[in-house]
Amino acid sequence: QLQLKESGGGLVQPGGSLRLSCAASGYTVGYYSIAWFRQVPGKEREAVSCFSAHDASTRYADSVKGRFTISRDIAKNTVDLQMDNLKPEDTGVYYCAGGFGSSDSLTCYRHHEVWGQGTPVTVSS
């Protein structure tokens, strides 16, 4: 069974960078599409980027396009999210999620399988 664990969150000033990592265990990350979500209090969890296992394509929400980069390392069994030029509105708890089945959505998968436990990101001066 696939398990996911996030790391790399923290406090950063506006304009700064963070790199989040989603480490997979129990299964190779190459068999699953992996999406990064974020959630702020009072709002629904929203997908911000994904890496498709189907064709290795990547997708980004308009709010992060050009600032965030998702990448996959099969050898390390991780999917990372490089976040540059961070803004206060990027603040939230970031979760990675795994699923399967091809989809055109921002999750890259049709069927959700598992969530990580989340890592907090705070962008503030």
Side-chain angles (χ1 to χ4, degrees), residues 29 40 48 53-54 66 97 105 107 121:
V29 72
V40 298
V48 297
H54 178 64
S105 73
T107 66
V121 171

Side-chain angles (χ1 to χ4, degrees), residues 5 15 17 53 59 72 92 106:
K5 185 174 183 179
S17 298
R59 297 175 196 151
R72 184 179 69 182
L106 198 49

Side-chain angles (χ1 to χ4, degrees), residues 99-105 107-112:
F100 58 93
S102 180
S103 170
D104 293 331
S105 73
T107 66
C108 292
Y109 58 73
R110 184 178 300 275
H111 304 289
H112 175 82

Side-chain angles (χ1 to χ4, degrees), residues 41-74:
K43 292 189 176 181
E44 289 188 2
R45 201 171 292 188
E46 61 170 353
V48 297
S49 184
C50 65
F51 195 107
S52 172
H54 178 64
D55 58 7
S57 62
T58 58
R59 297 175 196 151
Y60 301 92
D62 288 343
S63 59
V64 307
K65 203 170 292 183
R67 301 187 298 118
F68 289 13
T69 304
I70 193 169
S71 60
R72 184 179 69 182
D73 190 323
I74 296 293

